[in-house]
Amino acid sequence: KQEVTQIPAALSVPEGENLVLNCSFTDSAIYNLQWFRQDPGKGLTSLLLIQSSQREQTSGRLNASLDKSSGRSTLYIAASQPGDSATYLCAVASNDMRFGAGTRLTVKP
Amino acid sequence: GAVVSQHPSWVICKSGTSVKIECRSLDFQATTMFWYRQFPKQSLMLMATSNEGSKATYEQGVEKDKFLINHASLTLSTLTVTSAHPEDSSFYICSASGVGRNEKLFFGSGTQLSVL
């Protein structure tokens, strides 16, 4: 059974810092990996989708990498802003979709 | 882009009543829909996977007779919480994917259920 772990559970940084969120998974036989953000009381917003054949995807200040063989993905956020404050979830698609517990990010002005 | 519509956003009901939550894909055919539940300060937990025209596959520990899932068409899946109790109060969210497993997953906006 696929298990997805995210580290750290919470992260607080001053505005402007670059930061990295980590996601690891136990079964490397995946179809894709997706990063989401969740704002309190709201649904999920998809940020980046990496297919199993890809190594990274970029969107604006966000860059996600995937190392399938080692079961790891990172989400890099450049020049963080207070509006980036949210919970970030990674989800791994294999036979189903498994989520990590998320990293709660706070960017302080 | 693709949009998934989920209704209602909020529902408050009395204990013992049933609540139906709808999840619609607005501009694509959703061959697979997933239903998740999230308790406060916890991660999303997959409840069940439904494929159009077939019975849903439930995760271990999820009562299929309590959480009825119907995926009768390629654009609509419903989750009915039968005889709801306060412990069923949670945030429920659906997601849908189109043809092929490499399709991106799109999420509804979620339903906050409060059972009194």
Side-chain angles (χ1 to χ4, degrees):
Chain A
K1 181 178 177 180
Q2 180 76 272
E3 293 182 5
V4 182
T5 304
Q6 286 187 248
I7 295 173
L11 182 64
S12 181
V13 300
E15 181 177 4
E17 269 200 14
N18 303 324
L19 57 100
V20 175
L21 308 180
N22 297 290
C23 174
S24 62
F25 46 96
T26 55
D27 186 350
S28 62
I30 67 171
Y31 294 104
N32 61 56
L33 184 145
Q34 203 163 348
W35 282 93
F36 298 88
R37 70 173 279 168
Q38 184 177 27
D39 294 285
K42 297 186 178 180
L44 298 178
T45 301
S46 178
L47 298 174
L48 290 163
L49 170 70
I50 310 177
Q51 305 291 357
S52 61
S53 58
Q54 298 174 323
R55 294 193 65 84
E56 68 175 343
Q57 282 286 320
T58 298
S59 176
R61 295 182 291 108
L62 305 179
N63 176 277
S65 68
L66 174 64
D67 184 341
K68 203 171 61 168
S69 61
S70 66
R72 293 178 182 178
S73 175
T74 61
L75 177 66
Y76 175 82
I77 302 177
S80 58
Q81 302 170 357
D84 295 331
S85 298
T87 296
Y88 289 80
L89 297 162
C90 72
V92 176
S94 46
N95 291 322
D96 52 31
M97 196 82 164
R98 298 284 166 173
F99 284 81
T103 294
R104 189 172 68 254
L105 173 66
T106 302
V107 181
K108 296 172 289 186
Chain B
V3 176
V4 173
S5 175
Q6 185 173 343
H7 294 281
S9 298
W10 287 86
V11 59
I12 300 173
C13 68
K14 293 182 178 180
S15 184
T17 60
S18 294
V19 176
K20 180 184 282 187
I21 302 170
E22 291 190 351
C23 182
R24 295 180 183 272
S25 58
L26 298 183
D27 59 359
F28 70 101
Q29 293 183 328
T31 52
T32 304
M33 285 192 174
F34 302 90
W35 286 95
Y36 299 87
R37 178 170 55 184
Q38 185 177 34
F39 293 107
K41 299 184 180 181
Q42 296 185 25
S43 180
L44 282 173
M45 297 296 292
L46 179 65
M47 298 175 67
T49 302
S50 72
N51 293 295
E52 184 267 336
S54 62
K55 290 183 178 180
T57 302
Y58 289 81
E59 293 299 298
Q60 192 173 9
V62 179
E63 300 174 59
K64 63 179 181 180
D65 293 330
K66 180 169 185 63
F67 299 98
L68 301 178
I69 292 173
N70 183 285
H71 191 171
S73 77
L74 284 170
T75 59
L76 175 63
S77 177
T78 61
L79 168 67
T80 301
V81 183
T82 62
S83 187
H85 290 283
E87 58 264 31
D88 298 324
S89 298
S90 183
F91 184 71
Y92 294 85
I93 192 165
C94 70
S95 66
S97 67
V99 177
R101 291 182 181 275
N102 285 335
E103 287 287 328
K104 198 170 184 178
L105 200 66
F106 297 93
F107 283 80
S109 55
T111 298
Q112 183 64 53
L113 170 64
S114 296
V115 184
L116 305 178

